[in-house]
Amino acid sequence: KGFAAVLGGDVSLSLSPSFHHEFFKKYGIPFFAIHLEDFKSEVKSLFQLGLRFAAVTSPFKELAFEIADEHDQISKDTKSCNTLVWFKNKISGF
């Protein structure tokens, strides 16, 4: 099942853990708030460690778009992603 997280520079300010923790708990998926310094290299390592769902905070939304293998139309239009999902060995951005 892996784990889910909010990823950002200052995740202590993010409301994502309070929104998402109960949802993922229902499915037995742990949810963490993870502070990142070097988004591109660190997020790929997190996916290798089992990250499957990620909420992305500013200022990393544009970098999330860059690392995603697939995009929905809104992320294509804005060139940014609020959410990353690992699915079938690809990172999808929304």
Side-chain angles (χ1 to χ4, degrees), residues 2-3 17 34 40 43 45 54 56-57 67 70-71 75 78 85 94:
F3 66 96
I34 301 175
K40 279 188 174 180
V43 77
S45 295
V56 180
T57 67
I67 67 156
E70 302 175 329
H71 302 91
S75 68
T78 62
V85 176
F94 304 94

Side-chain angles (χ1 to χ4, degrees), residues 79-94:
K79 305 253 187 287
S80 66
C81 294
N82 185 57
T83 305
L84 296 174
V85 176
W86 178 259
F87 184 69
K88 295 185 178 181
N89 296 320
K90 291 183 181 179
I91 300 171
S92 297
F94 304 94

Side-chain angles (χ1 to χ4, degrees), residues 6-11 13-14 16 35-36 39 55-64 80-82:
V6 57
L7 308 173
D10 190 357
V11 292
L13 300 176
S14 176
S16 289
H35 173 86
L36 300 178
F39 184 84
V56 180
T57 67
S58 295
F60 297 126
K61 293 178 187 291
E62 291 83 12
L63 294 173
S80 66
C81 294
N82 185 57

